């Protein structure tokens, strides 16, 4: 499957916004990841060694069809080069370099659903080496 663009929303979890000392935005904060950052389901994740501290967040990803309707969903790990992001933010620069680097968007298998209400009760967790994060 070819993924051309990844549109993501930042600062959309209140507890995470507060943890980082950021303000809650009044409008969605959108950032992009290149489609080339995707690591497919079951592929090994190999990260660049010179990126500094890498943070991760488990997210629900939605795939849209040509009519902009939601066609499928999957779990995604949003990887961030946190040191680089802090430096960019302090200069008022976009986060692109800290968010869109090689292998920074691992995706799980896509699944279909009939109604968006299914996702309201969808629960998930991230395990690293068998431990819940």
């Amino acid at each position: 499957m070819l993924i051309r663009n990844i549109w993501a929303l930042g600062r959309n979890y209140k507890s995470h916004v507060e943890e980082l000392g950021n303000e809650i935005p009044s409008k969605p904060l959108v950032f992009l990841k290149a489609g080339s950052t995707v690591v497919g389901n079951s592929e090994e994740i190999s990260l660049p060694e010179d990126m500094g501290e890498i943070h991760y967040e488990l997210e629900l990803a939605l795939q849209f069809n040509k009519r902009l309707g939601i066609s499928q969903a999957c779990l995604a790990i949003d990887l961030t080069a946190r040191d680089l992001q802090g430096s960019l933010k302090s200069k008022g620069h976009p986060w692109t370099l800290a968010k869109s680097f090689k292998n920074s968007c691992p995706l799980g298998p896509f699944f279909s659903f009939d109604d968006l209400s299914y996702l309201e009760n969808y629960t998930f967790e991230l395990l690293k080496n068998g431990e819940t994060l």
Side-chain angles (χ1 to χ4, degrees):
M1 169 189 313
L2 174 65
I3 296 177
R4 293 191 177 122
N5 296 300
I6 301 163
W7 293 71
L9 297 178
R11 299 185 185 168
N12 57 337
Y13 296 106
K14 184 179 178 187
S15 61
H16 188 54
V17 170
E18 291 170 348
E19 170 192 344
L20 295 175
N22 293 319
E23 291 183 26
I24 297 173
S26 59
K27 297 179 186 176
L29 188 118
V30 178
F31 63 90
L32 299 175
K33 285 183 176 255
S36 61
T37 65
V38 168
V39 179
N41 184 43
S42 302
E43 290 181 42
E44 184 175 321
I45 301 169
S46 176
L47 299 175
E49 293 182 18
D50 60 348
M51 294 303 294
E53 186 178 359
I54 305 289
H55 282 225
Y56 44 85
E57 296 174 77
L58 185 61
E59 309 280 359
L60 182 63
L62 304 174
Q63 183 179 46
F64 292 82
N65 60 29
K66 291 179 181 179
R67 302 179 91 188
L68 297 180
I70 298 171
S71 59
Q72 297 185 90
C74 74
L75 294 180
I77 301 176
D78 175 21
L79 297 173
T80 304
R82 189 67 79 202
D83 300 334
L84 180 55
Q85 184 185 35
S87 174
L88 293 166
K89 283 171 45 177
S90 71
K91 297 173 186 171
H93 293 179
W95 305 348
T96 305
L97 295 175
K99 288 287 197 176
S100 190
F101 55 91
K102 185 176 180 181
N103 298 332
S104 64
C105 192
L107 298 179
F110 280 90
F111 59 90
S112 299
F113 50 92
D114 294 326
D115 190 293
L116 279 176
S117 64
Y118 171 80
L119 298 177
E120 291 176 10
N121 298 312
Y122 188 76
T123 59
F124 50 90
E125 63 184 2
L126 178 61
L127 301 174
K128 181 179 178 183
N129 299 326
E131 293 186 35
T132 301
L133 299 173

